[in-house]
Every structure is written in structure tokens, then in C-alpha cells.
Amino acid sequence: MLIELALGTVGIAMLVGGGEFLVKGAASLARSAGISPLLVGLTVVAFGTSTPELAVSVEAALEGSSTLAFGNIFGSNMANIGLIIGLAATLRPLAIDHVVARRELPMMLLALAAAIATAFDVFLGESTDAFARSDGVVLLLFFFVFLYYTLGDLARQRNDHRASRALAKEMAEAGASAAGDQPGEEAFGVLKSLGLLALGLSGLIYGASLVVDSAVDVARALGVPEVAVGLTLVAVGTSIPELVASLVAIWRNNLAIAVGGIVGSNIFNTLLVTGVTAAIRPMPIPAGGHLDLAATAALSLLLFLVSRTPDQRIVRREGLCLLALWSAYVSARFFYLEP
């Protein structure tokens, strides 16, 4: 057990270092490439931190463990909202960018609605509810629509950045200072920023793997039932990169990266991870899975509602509400609803 505890300690150190490099690289990439930190969070950070969910779900699909894949995807989505955003908001009020409130959160709800609609096959005359291969293709098409609009934003911001740099150059030649400078922020150049991002993501993913593996081994050594290990550690464990990245981003005052990473991660999980997994092997809805979909929808809708307040902030009491609802559902699911 001492070896497992030592590996867990190493994993935690990798998580902390990885989160620091990831957020620093993301902020630097946004500044040097002329794009918003929110867009970096919605794309690079979201995809990178969703890699564990994708890997676990694809491996589960290849091995025929569709229940594990389903629980991993939607359990991670619930943890992203209830645990991560809830915990982050209790530490510090989260300002929600107007783009997130007006487009990305509705898109997250639309993605979830599409997933739920494709999951209920009994209404179409099928014998069981499942994500069929055709459903996976539909979800992947929705994902490419999301990617199209996001890359369109990227192109527009790049053009605006070029125009602002040209204007700044003209002003500098005239002896004026550029209005948008922020000398306190570091910009390392695109290649170095991407290197920091890659290093940070590697630290988060491998650190999370060490922490989860050591926790599973310790739990087994202490006699904790296998079902308890699987229910709690798999879904929450694959959300550790999002958790650490968000907390580090908040600590460094990069709220756009924190919130954008979570919302983007849920969209990636719902459309990309579910789509790829179902395309590989049809994924039946397990016993209690309809409740999981309903709980995911409830938490997502609540996040949308608390983000549309006049000041567009998630304050401490709202974060505590999200955290309490997630904790209550997971506890009830384990103790009372688990078949």
C-alpha cells in the first residue's frame, strides 16, 4: 500500500504541475495568436481534458463494456457541472462571458437534447433504448457543426488581431502607444505556447491515471466493494484534468479558460465521445441510465439558468447548490438506485 500511496503523491504533483503549464500555455497562446482565452478553453483545453473520457469510453466499447462507457460519459458531464463548477464557484464567483451565456451553454443543452432524443428508441418501435451506430453518426454531425462555428470564430478573431496589430504599428510609428497592451501577461510565441499546452495536458492525463489507479488499489486493499470503486472513481477520475485545470485557471484569474473548458468539455463528451463510442459499438442504455440522463439534463439546465442572471455570475450560494445536488444524486444513485 505504501507504493500505491507514493504513486498517488507523484500523480498529485503531476496534476498540479500539469494544470499550471496548461493554463499558462493556454493564456499565452490566446495572447500570441490573437484569439480569446474563452475560445482556447472551448477548443484546445476542452478537447485535451476530454481525452481521458474518450480513451476510457473507446476502450470500453472495444471490450463490449457499454455500461462503463455510458456511465463514464454522462457521469463525467455531471461531475463537470456539479463538482467542478460547483466547487470553483464556492471558492470564487465565476463571471460568465456573454458568448458562453448566449451561445455555448444553449449549444451544450442542444447537444444533450440530441443525445437524449437519439437514446429513446422505444418510442420508435425498437425493443430497447440504445445509442445505435446511426445515432453515433448523427451526434458526430452535430459535433462538426459546433466545430464549424467555433473555427469560424477563430478565423474572425485572427483577422481582427491582424487589423489591430496593423493599427498599433501605425500608432507606434506616430509616437502613440497601443491601446490594448497588457504588459503584465506573458506571451511565449505560438510554438512555445503549444509546447506548454502539450506538457500540461500530458501531466494532467498521466497524473490523473496515477491518482485513480492508486486510489483503486488502496480501496481494494481496504476491502471497498468493486461496484463502489467503479461508480465513484471512473467517472470522477476522468474529470480530474478538468477539475485541476479549472482550479488553476481560477487561481491565475483566467476565468474564461476555466468556464470555457468545462462547457466545451461537456459538448465534446456528449457529441464526440458518445458519437465515436456508439459508432464503434451500439451502446444500450443501462439500468438506471434514464435517471442519469435526466440528472445530467437537470444540472445542465440549472447551470444555464444561474448563468443568465443580470450580472452573469455564478456566486457562492449557486455553486454550493450545484455541488449539493450533484453529491445528493451520486449518493442516492449508489445507495438506493443501483440495481
Side-chain angles (χ1 to χ4, degrees), residues 78-338:
M78 283 189 281
N80 284 349
I81 297 174
L83 173 62
I84 300 175
I85 289 186
L87 180 60
T90 60
L91 299 175
R92 179 174 185 174
L94 298 179
I96 306 299
D97 189 277
H98 71 280
V99 174
V100 173
R102 296 181 182 180
R103 193 186 70 183
E104 305 307 333
L105 281 172
M107 193 169 291
M108 183 185 76
L109 292 176
L110 178 62
L112 185 58
I116 292 175
T118 57
F120 284 82
D121 297 328
V122 171
F123 294 110
L124 301 177
E126 300 292 336
S127 58
T128 59
D129 289 330
F131 289 107
R133 284 191 171 92
S134 58
D135 299 330
V137 173
V138 169
L139 293 177
L140 287 174
L141 289 175
F142 273 105
F143 172 73
F144 289 126
V145 171
F146 163 73
L147 207 58
Y148 171 79
Y149 280 105
T150 304
L151 292 179
D153 273 355
L154 174 62
R156 283 190 293 272
Q157 289 186 19
R158 287 286 293 163
N159 290 335
D160 292 343
H161 179 62
R162 291 192 185 99
S164 65
R165 289 189 65 180
L167 178 61
K169 184 177 180 180
E170 293 177 3
M171 294 175 66
E173 290 174 352
S177 61
D181 286 349
Q182 300 176 28
E185 297 182 10
E186 291 181 288
F188 302 107
V190 174
L191 289 180
K192 186 172 181 180
S193 299
L194 289 174
L196 287 173
L197 275 169
L199 184 62
L201 285 171
S202 298
L204 285 174
I205 292 169
Y206 288 113
S209 177
L210 282 176
V211 170
V212 172
D213 289 345
S214 62
V216 169
D217 291 338
V218 170
R220 287 173 177 167
L222 295 175
V224 178
E226 289 281 332
V227 62
V229 174
L231 181 65
T232 56
L233 292 181
V234 173
V236 176
T238 54
S239 293
I240 289 178
E242 287 96 332
L243 174 61
V244 176
S246 298
L247 294 180
V248 173
I250 290 169
W251 178 65
R252 293 183 63 87
N253 201 31
N254 287 306
L255 300 183
I257 293 176
V259 178
I262 294 300
V263 175
S265 180
N266 272 24
I267 295 174
F268 273 71
N269 288 347
T270 304
L271 299 179
L272 178 63
V273 180
T274 306
V276 170
T277 304
I280 293 173
R281 187 187 297 268
M283 185 167 51
I285 306 301
H290 296 91
L291 286 170
D292 295 332
L293 289 172
T296 305
L299 282 170
S300 300
L301 183 59
L302 182 57
L303 174 62
F304 173 76
L305 293 175
V306 299
S307 301
R308 295 302 296 267
T309 53
D311 59 353
Q312 287 191 185
R313 292 198 314 162
I314 304 177
V315 296
R316 183 169 287 107
R317 63 177 179 275
E318 294 165 343
L320 286 171
C321 180
L322 288 171
L323 187 59
L325 288 175
W326 173 80
S327 302
Y329 179 77
V330 170
S331 300
R333 184 75 170 88
F334 174 66
F335 288 111
Y336 301 108
L337 305 176
E338 183 69 20

